[in-house]
């Protein structure tokens, strides 16, 4: 059974940083474009950032551009999301997701993804 697993979440003060990791079992993550989403209480799931299979194309939500950086390490079959200059409004559960059929033009739409991790909590508070 395919499983994605996120790690690296935590409690951080405004302006702080975290690095989230996404790994997979029963799925060769190196062969999938991968996307990070987040969901805050009472809000819809939001696409945060996406990275192509080769890592040469990346996409970001306007709300995180210049603060978050997505990357991947093929030797570790891991996708990372570096979160810098965190703000209280970044507080959410962060999920990684992949799709058997990925369309870059709609990368931020949750409905195209069929593999999801359970999420990792990021809390930004003073």
């Amino acid at each position: 059974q395919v499983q994605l697993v996120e790690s690296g979440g935590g409690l951080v003060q405004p302006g702080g940083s975290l690095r989230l990791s996404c790994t997979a079992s029963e799925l060769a993550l190196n062969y999938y474009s991968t996307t990070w989403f987040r969901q805050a209480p009472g809000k819809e799931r939001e696409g945060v950032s996406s990275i192509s299979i080769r890592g040469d194309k990346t996409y970001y939500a306007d709300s995180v551009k210049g603060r978050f950086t997505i990357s991947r390490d093929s030797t570790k079959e891991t996708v990372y999301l570096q979160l810098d200059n965190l703000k209280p409004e970044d507080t959410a559960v962060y999920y990684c997701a992949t799709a058997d059929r990925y369309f870059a033009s709609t990368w931020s739409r949750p409905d195209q993804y069929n593999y999801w991790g359970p999420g990792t909590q990021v809390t930004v508070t003073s």
Side-chain angles (χ1 to χ4, degrees):
Q1 184 177 357
V2 173
Q3 284 189 319
L4 300 183
V5 178
E6 305 90 345
S7 62
L11 178 66
V12 65
Q13 292 185 341
S17 298
L18 288 171
R19 189 177 77 161
L20 308 183
S21 300
C22 174
T23 58
S25 60
E26 304 300 325
L27 181 145
L29 196 60
N30 284 352
Y31 294 99
Y32 288 80
S33 295
T34 304
T35 299
W36 286 94
F37 288 84
R38 68 184 180 186
Q39 189 165 20
K43 293 188 176 181
E44 292 187 353
R45 194 162 294 192
E46 172 191 22
V48 175
S49 183
S50 188
I51 189 166
S52 63
I53 292 172
R54 293 187 298 175
D56 57 338
K57 296 179 182 178
T58 57
Y59 309 93
Y60 295 93
D62 288 343
S63 58
V64 306
K65 279 181 182 176
R67 300 189 298 120
F68 292 6
T69 304
I70 194 169
S71 63
R72 65 191 313 154
D73 184 339
S74 61
T75 64
K76 298 180 179 179
E77 292 205 46
T78 301
V79 174
Y80 301 100
L81 186 67
Q82 178 69 37
L83 287 61
D84 295 318
N85 191 21
L86 281 160
K87 303 176 180 181
E89 52 263 42
D90 295 318
T91 296
V93 178
Y94 283 70
Y95 304 89
C96 64
T98 62
D100 287 328
R101 296 189 66 191
Y102 172 85
F103 300 96
S105 59
T106 56
W107 69 266
S108 62
R109 286 181 51 174
D111 58 359
Q112 74 164 292
Y113 296 88
N114 50 327
Y115 302 117
W116 292 85
T120 185
Q121 176 71 46
V122 172
T123 303
V124 185
T125 181
S126 54

